[in-house]
Amino acid sequence: MSSILLVTSSPREDSLSTKVATEFVEKLKSRNPGETVIHRDLGQNPIAHLDTVTTSAIRKPAADRNAEEAAAAAESDELVAELLAADTVVLATGLINFNIYSTLKSWIDNVARAGMTFRYTAEGPEGLATGKKVYIVLSAAGIYSEGPAMGMNHAVPYLKTVLAFMGMTDVEVIYVEGTAFGPEAFDKALAQADARITELAAAA
């Protein structure tokens, strides 16, 4: 049975990235009702940023952790297991200060684990979280997929880089952008996003 991991990161109740990503997962699941969905809502249930204990714990084999370190590493281990088990990953974030939400960054810091989702070899780093299809849903008030502000979009390049580092190179991006330019632009952004997720769901 295939599975979908949905990771949303906006703290906003009216989040467009969460709305579009959730609708996309529903479309994917409607085409394959047997798929399971795991939803990590980082906006409502944020993951703690790495601290001294957790950083130490996740660098050690489980057998070498003390009780405090074992407890600290438990959530990170669970997040890694969810990622590795997923066939499809949907990541949703707003563009905040030209990058991703810190909640999503914390998730990445927990799942980018040496020996689990990547490893170092004599030939260089090798991703271990392979064979997955990844979709990024990015909402933005302005236009950042093209045009003069494109260079300020650090979210997509960063996500593609870190995903590829972990072995996930089959990535599609769904933009919900230009929403601050009035009601017509807002409606157009949602319509374009809906057309995009419909197209991608049909091709999945």
Short mmCIF file of all heavy atoms in Angstrom, two decimals, residues 69-118:
data_model
loop_
_atom_site.label_atom_id
_atom_site.label_comp_id
_atom_site.label_asym_id
_atom_site.label_seq_id
_atom_site.Cartn_x
_atom_site.Cartn_y
_atom_site.Cartn_z
N GLU A 69 18.99 11.50 26.19
CA GLU A 69 19.22 11.58 24.74
C GLU A 69 18.23 10.72 23.98
O GLU A 69 17.75 11.10 22.90
CB GLU A 69 20.65 11.16 24.43
CG GLU A 69 21.70 12.16 24.89
CD GLU A 69 23.11 11.62 24.76
OE1 GLU A 69 23.29 10.38 24.74
OE2 GLU A 69 24.04 12.44 24.68
N ALA A 70 17.90 9.55 24.51
CA ALA A 70 16.93 8.68 23.85
C ALA A 70 15.57 9.35 23.74
O ALA A 70 14.90 9.29 22.71
CB ALA A 70 16.81 7.37 24.62
N ALA A 71 15.16 10.03 24.81
CA ALA A 71 13.88 10.74 24.80
C ALA A 71 13.93 11.90 23.81
O ALA A 71 12.96 12.16 23.08
CB ALA A 71 13.56 11.25 26.20
N ALA A 72 15.06 12.59 23.75
CA ALA A 72 15.21 13.75 22.85
C ALA A 72 15.19 13.33 21.40
O ALA A 72 14.69 14.05 20.52
CB ALA A 72 16.49 14.50 23.16
N ALA A 73 15.75 12.14 21.10
CA ALA A 73 15.85 11.68 19.72
C ALA A 73 14.60 10.98 19.22
O ALA A 73 14.46 10.75 18.01
CB ALA A 73 17.04 10.73 19.58
N ALA A 74 13.68 10.66 20.12
CA ALA A 74 12.52 9.85 19.75
C ALA A 74 11.68 10.51 18.65
O ALA A 74 11.27 9.85 17.69
CB ALA A 74 11.66 9.57 20.98
N GLU A 75 11.42 11.81 18.79
CA GLU A 75 10.59 12.49 17.79
C GLU A 75 11.31 12.56 16.45
O GLU A 75 10.69 12.33 15.40
CB GLU A 75 10.21 13.90 18.24
CG GLU A 75 9.26 14.59 17.26
CD GLU A 75 8.77 15.92 17.77
OE1 GLU A 75 9.58 16.70 18.32
OE2 GLU A 75 7.57 16.20 17.62
N SER A 76 12.59 12.85 16.47
CA SER A 76 13.35 12.90 15.23
C SER A 76 13.34 11.54 14.54
O SER A 76 13.18 11.45 13.32
CB SER A 76 14.79 13.34 15.51
OG SER A 76 15.55 13.40 14.32
N ASP A 77 13.52 10.48 15.31
CA ASP A 77 13.48 9.13 14.74
C ASP A 77 12.13 8.85 14.09
O ASP A 77 12.05 8.23 13.03
CB ASP A 77 13.76 8.09 15.83
CG ASP A 77 15.21 8.10 16.31
OD1 ASP A 77 16.06 8.70 15.62
OD2 ASP A 77 15.48 7.52 17.38
N GLU A 78 11.05 9.31 14.75
CA GLU A 78 9.71 9.09 14.21
C GLU A 78 9.52 9.85 12.91
O GLU A 78 8.93 9.33 11.94
CB GLU A 78 8.66 9.54 15.24
CG GLU A 78 7.22 9.32 14.80
CD GLU A 78 6.21 9.77 15.84
OE1 GLU A 78 6.63 10.17 16.94
OE2 GLU A 78 5.00 9.71 15.55
N LEU A 79 10.02 11.09 12.85
CA LEU A 79 9.90 11.90 11.64
C LEU A 79 10.66 11.26 10.47
O LEU A 79 10.19 11.25 9.34
CB LEU A 79 10.42 13.31 11.89
CG LEU A 79 9.65 14.14 12.92
CD1 LEU A 79 10.39 15.42 13.24
CD2 LEU A 79 8.24 14.44 12.43
N VAL A 80 11.84 10.75 10.75
CA VAL A 80 12.63 10.08 9.72
C VAL A 80 11.89 8.85 9.21
O VAL A 80 11.82 8.60 8.00
CB VAL A 80 14.02 9.69 10.26
CG1 VAL A 80 14.75 8.79 9.26
CG2 VAL A 80 14.86 10.93 10.53
N ALA A 81 11.32 8.07 10.13
CA ALA A 81 10.60 6.86 9.74
C ALA A 81 9.41 7.20 8.85
O ALA A 81 9.13 6.49 7.86
CB ALA A 81 10.13 6.10 10.99
N GLU A 82 8.70 8.28 9.16
CA GLU A 82 7.57 8.71 8.34
C GLU A 82 8.03 9.07 6.93
O GLU A 82 7.39 8.70 5.94
CB GLU A 82 6.88 9.92 8.97
CG GLU A 82 6.05 9.59 10.20
CD GLU A 82 5.44 10.82 10.83
OE1 GLU A 82 5.75 11.95 10.39
OE2 GLU A 82 4.67 10.66 11.79
N LEU A 83 9.13 9.80 6.84
CA LEU A 83 9.65 10.21 5.54
C LEU A 83 10.08 9.00 4.72
O LEU A 83 9.73 8.88 3.53
CB LEU A 83 10.81 11.18 5.71
CG LEU A 83 11.53 11.60 4.42
CD1 LEU A 83 10.58 12.31 3.48
CD2 LEU A 83 12.74 12.46 4.74
N LEU A 84 10.83 8.10 5.33
CA LEU A 84 11.33 6.94 4.60
C LEU A 84 10.21 6.02 4.15
O LEU A 84 10.32 5.36 3.10
CB LEU A 84 12.34 6.18 5.47
CG LEU A 84 13.66 6.90 5.76
CD1 LEU A 84 14.52 6.07 6.69
CD2 LEU A 84 14.41 7.20 4.46
N ALA A 85 9.12 5.98 4.90
CA ALA A 85 8.01 5.10 4.56
C ALA A 85 7.12 5.66 3.45
O ALA A 85 6.37 4.92 2.81
CB ALA A 85 7.16 4.82 5.80
N ALA A 86 7.20 6.96 3.21
CA ALA A 86 6.31 7.61 2.25
C ALA A 86 6.75 7.38 0.81
O ALA A 86 7.94 7.39 0.50
CB ALA A 86 6.24 9.11 2.53
N ASP A 87 5.76 7.18 -0.06
CA ASP A 87 6.03 7.12 -1.50
C ASP A 87 5.94 8.50 -2.13
O ASP A 87 6.63 8.81 -3.10
CB ASP A 87 5.02 6.18 -2.17
CG ASP A 87 5.09 4.79 -1.59
OD1 ASP A 87 6.08 4.09 -1.83
OD2 ASP A 87 4.13 4.38 -0.89
N THR A 88 5.05 9.32 -1.58
CA THR A 88 4.82 10.68 -2.06
C THR A 88 4.94 11.63 -0.89
O THR A 88 4.42 11.36 0.20
CB THR A 88 3.42 10.82 -2.69
OG1 THR A 88 3.29 9.88 -3.76
CG2 THR A 88 3.19 12.23 -3.21
N VAL A 89 5.61 12.76 -1.11
CA VAL A 89 5.78 13.77 -0.06
C VAL A 89 5.27 15.10 -0.60
O VAL A 89 5.65 15.53 -1.69
CB VAL A 89 7.26 13.91 0.35
CG1 VAL A 89 7.42 14.96 1.45
CG2 VAL A 89 7.83 12.56 0.81
N VAL A 90 4.40 15.75 0.18
CA VAL A 90 3.87 17.07 -0.18
C VAL A 90 4.28 18.04 0.91
O VAL A 90 3.89 17.88 2.08
CB VAL A 90 2.33 17.05 -0.33
CG1 VAL A 90 1.82 18.44 -0.71
CG2 VAL A 90 1.91 16.02 -1.38
N LEU A 91 5.07 19.04 0.55
CA LEU A 91 5.55 20.05 1.50
C LEU A 91 4.89 21.38 1.20
O LEU A 91 4.95 21.86 0.05
CB LEU A 91 7.07 20.21 1.40
CG LEU A 91 7.93 18.95 1.57
CD1 LEU A 91 9.40 19.30 1.37
CD2 LEU A 91 7.70 18.33 2.93
N ALA A 92 4.28 21.98 2.20
CA ALA A 92 3.57 23.25 2.00
C ALA A 92 4.14 24.34 2.89
O ALA A 92 4.33 24.13 4.10
CB ALA A 92 2.08 23.07 2.29
N THR A 93 4.42 25.49 2.29
CA THR A 93 4.94 26.62 3.07
C THR A 93 4.57 27.93 2.40
O THR A 93 4.41 28.00 1.18
CB THR A 93 6.48 26.54 3.21
OG1 THR A 93 6.94 27.64 4.02
CG2 THR A 93 7.17 26.58 1.87
N GLY A 94 4.41 28.95 3.20
CA GLY A 94 4.34 30.29 2.65
C GLY A 94 5.76 30.81 2.45
O GLY A 94 6.71 30.28 3.03
N LEU A 95 5.90 31.82 1.61
CA LEU A 95 7.21 32.48 1.44
C LEU A 95 7.27 33.59 2.47
O LEU A 95 6.56 34.59 2.37
CB LEU A 95 7.34 33.04 0.03
CG LEU A 95 8.73 33.58 -0.32
CD1 LEU A 95 9.72 32.44 -0.47
CD2 LEU A 95 8.69 34.39 -1.62
N ILE A 96 8.10 33.40 3.49
CA ILE A 96 8.20 34.38 4.57
C ILE A 96 9.63 34.90 4.62
O ILE A 96 10.58 34.12 4.77
CB ILE A 96 7.76 33.78 5.92
CG1 ILE A 96 7.90 34.81 7.04
CG2 ILE A 96 8.47 32.47 6.23
CD1 ILE A 96 7.23 34.41 8.34
N ASN A 97 9.78 36.20 4.45
CA ASN A 97 11.12 36.80 4.39
C ASN A 97 11.99 36.09 3.37
O ASN A 97 13.17 35.82 3.60
CB ASN A 97 11.77 36.80 5.78
CG ASN A 97 11.00 37.66 6.77
OD1 ASN A 97 10.49 38.72 6.41
ND2 ASN A 97 10.89 37.19 8.00
N PHE A 98 11.35 35.74 2.25
CA PHE A 98 12.02 35.16 1.08
C PHE A 98 12.48 33.72 1.27
O PHE A 98 13.26 33.20 0.48
CB PHE A 98 13.21 36.03 0.62
CG PHE A 98 12.86 37.49 0.54
CD1 PHE A 98 13.49 38.41 1.36
CD2 PHE A 98 11.88 37.93 -0.33
CE1 PHE A 98 13.15 39.76 1.30
CE2 PHE A 98 11.53 39.28 -0.39
CZ PHE A 98 12.17 40.20 0.43
N ASN A 99 11.98 33.05 2.32
CA ASN A 99 12.35 31.66 2.53
C ASN A 99 11.19 30.91 3.16
O ASN A 99 10.07 31.41 3.21
CB ASN A 99 13.63 31.56 3.37
CG ASN A 99 14.50 30.39 2.96
OD1 ASN A 99 14.02 29.30 2.71
ND2 ASN A 99 15.80 30.62 2.89
N ILE A 100 11.47 29.71 3.69
CA ILE A 100 10.42 28.86 4.24
C ILE A 100 10.16 29.23 5.71
O ILE A 100 10.95 29.91 6.35
CB ILE A 100 10.82 27.38 4.15
CG1 ILE A 100 12.08 27.10 4.96
CG2 ILE A 100 11.00 26.97 2.69
CD1 ILE A 100 12.49 25.64 5.01
N TYR A 101 9.02 28.74 6.22
CA TYR A 101 8.74 28.90 7.64
C TYR A 101 9.78 28.16 8.47
O TYR A 101 10.27 27.09 8.09
CB TYR A 101 7.36 28.35 7.98
CG TYR A 101 6.22 29.29 7.68
CD1 TYR A 101 5.33 29.05 6.64
CD2 TYR A 101 6.03 30.43 8.46
CE1 TYR A 101 4.29 29.92 6.37
CE2 TYR A 101 4.98 31.31 8.20
CZ TYR A 101 4.11 31.05 7.15
OH TYR A 101 3.07 31.91 6.90
N SER A 102 10.11 28.71 9.63
CA SER A 102 11.10 28.07 10.51
C SER A 102 10.60 26.70 10.98
O SER A 102 11.40 25.82 11.31
CB SER A 102 11.41 28.95 11.71
OG SER A 102 10.27 29.12 12.53
N THR A 103 9.28 26.52 11.04
CA THR A 103 8.74 25.22 11.43
C THR A 103 9.14 24.14 10.44
O THR A 103 9.47 23.02 10.83
CB THR A 103 7.21 25.28 11.54
OG1 THR A 103 6.68 25.89 10.35
CG2 THR A 103 6.77 26.10 12.73
N LEU A 104 9.11 24.46 9.15
CA LEU A 104 9.52 23.50 8.13
C LEU A 104 11.03 23.29 8.17
O LEU A 104 11.51 22.17 7.97
CB LEU A 104 9.09 23.98 6.74
CG LEU A 104 9.40 23.04 5.58
CD1 LEU A 104 8.80 21.65 5.80
CD2 LEU A 104 8.89 23.63 4.26
N LYS A 105 11.77 24.35 8.44
CA LYS A 105 13.23 24.21 8.58
C LYS A 105 13.56 23.26 9.73
O LYS A 105 14.49 22.43 9.62
CB LYS A 105 13.87 25.58 8.82
CG LYS A 105 15.39 25.54 9.04
CD LYS A 105 16.14 24.97 7.84
CE LYS A 105 17.64 25.22 7.91
NZ LYS A 105 18.31 24.65 9.07
N SER A 106 12.82 23.35 10.83
CA SER A 106 13.07 22.46 11.95
C SER A 106 12.78 21.01 11.58
O SER A 106 13.51 20.09 11.98
CB SER A 106 12.21 22.88 13.16
OG SER A 106 12.54 22.12 14.29
N TRP A 107 11.72 20.79 10.79
CA TRP A 107 11.42 19.43 10.31
C TRP A 107 12.59 18.91 9.47
O TRP A 107 13.03 17.77 9.66
CB TRP A 107 10.13 19.45 9.49
CG TRP A 107 9.74 18.12 8.92
CD1 TRP A 107 9.05 17.12 9.54
CD2 TRP A 107 10.00 17.65 7.59
NE1 TRP A 107 8.86 16.04 8.70
CE2 TRP A 107 9.44 16.35 7.48
CE3 TRP A 107 10.63 18.19 6.48
CZ2 TRP A 107 9.51 15.59 6.31
CZ3 TRP A 107 10.72 17.44 5.31
CH2 TRP A 107 10.15 16.15 5.24
N ILE A 108 13.10 19.75 8.59
CA ILE A 108 14.24 19.34 7.76
C ILE A 108 15.45 19.01 8.62
O ILE A 108 16.14 18.01 8.39
CB ILE A 108 14.57 20.44 6.73
CG1 ILE A 108 13.46 20.54 5.69
CG2 ILE A 108 15.92 20.17 6.06
CD1 ILE A 108 13.55 21.77 4.81
N ASP A 109 15.70 19.84 9.63
CA ASP A 109 16.85 19.59 10.50
C ASP A 109 16.73 18.25 11.22
O ASP A 109 17.74 17.63 11.57
CB ASP A 109 16.99 20.72 11.53
CG ASP A 109 17.43 22.03 10.90
OD1 ASP A 109 17.94 22.00 9.77
OD2 ASP A 109 17.24 23.09 11.53
N ASN A 110 15.51 17.82 11.45
CA ASN A 110 15.28 16.54 12.13
C ASN A 110 15.34 15.34 11.19
O ASN A 110 15.68 14.24 11.62
CB ASN A 110 13.93 16.56 12.85
CG ASN A 110 14.00 17.18 14.21
OD1 ASN A 110 14.27 16.52 15.20
ND2 ASN A 110 13.77 18.50 14.29
N VAL A 111 15.00 15.53 9.92
CA VAL A 111 14.97 14.37 9.01
C VAL A 111 16.24 14.24 8.17
O VAL A 111 16.50 13.17 7.61
CB VAL A 111 13.74 14.41 8.07
CG1 VAL A 111 12.45 14.37 8.88
CG2 VAL A 111 13.77 15.60 7.12
N ALA A 112 17.03 15.30 8.08
CA ALA A 112 18.29 15.21 7.35
C ALA A 112 19.33 14.60 8.28
O ALA A 112 20.07 15.31 8.97
CB ALA A 112 18.74 16.58 6.84
N ARG A 113 19.37 13.29 8.33
CA ARG A 113 20.15 12.55 9.32
C ARG A 113 21.19 11.66 8.65
O ARG A 113 20.86 10.78 7.84
CB ARG A 113 19.23 11.68 10.17
CG ARG A 113 18.21 12.44 11.02
CD ARG A 113 18.74 12.75 12.39
NE ARG A 113 19.09 11.53 13.10
CZ ARG A 113 18.22 10.81 13.82
NH1 ARG A 113 16.94 11.18 13.92
NH2 ARG A 113 18.63 9.72 14.46
N ALA A 114 22.45 11.90 8.99
CA ALA A 114 23.53 11.07 8.45
C ALA A 114 23.33 9.63 8.86
O ALA A 114 23.02 9.33 10.02
CB ALA A 114 24.88 11.58 8.95
N GLY A 115 23.46 8.73 7.90
CA GLY A 115 23.28 7.32 8.15
C GLY A 115 21.84 6.85 8.03
O GLY A 115 21.57 5.65 8.07
N MET A 116 20.90 7.81 7.88
CA MET A 116 19.49 7.46 7.78
C MET A 116 18.88 7.97 6.47
O MET A 116 18.30 7.20 5.71
CB MET A 116 18.72 7.99 8.99
CG MET A 116 19.22 7.40 10.31
SD MET A 116 18.31 7.97 11.77
CE MET A 116 16.80 7.02 11.61
N THR A 117 18.98 9.26 6.21
CA THR A 117 18.46 9.80 4.95
C THR A 117 19.57 10.22 3.99
O THR A 117 19.30 10.55 2.85
CB THR A 117 17.53 11.01 5.21
OG1 THR A 117 18.23 11.98 6.01
CG2 THR A 117 16.26 10.56 5.94
N PHE A 118 20.80 10.20 4.47
CA PHE A 118 21.96 10.38 3.59
C PHE A 118 23.17 9.77 4.28
O PHE A 118 23.15 9.47 5.48
CB PHE A 118 22.22 11.86 3.27
CG PHE A 118 22.74 12.66 4.43
CD1 PHE A 118 24.11 12.81 4.64
CD2 PHE A 118 21.87 13.27 5.33
CE1 PHE A 118 24.60 13.55 5.71
CE2 PHE A 118 22.34 14.00 6.41
CZ PHE A 118 23.71 14.14 6.60
#
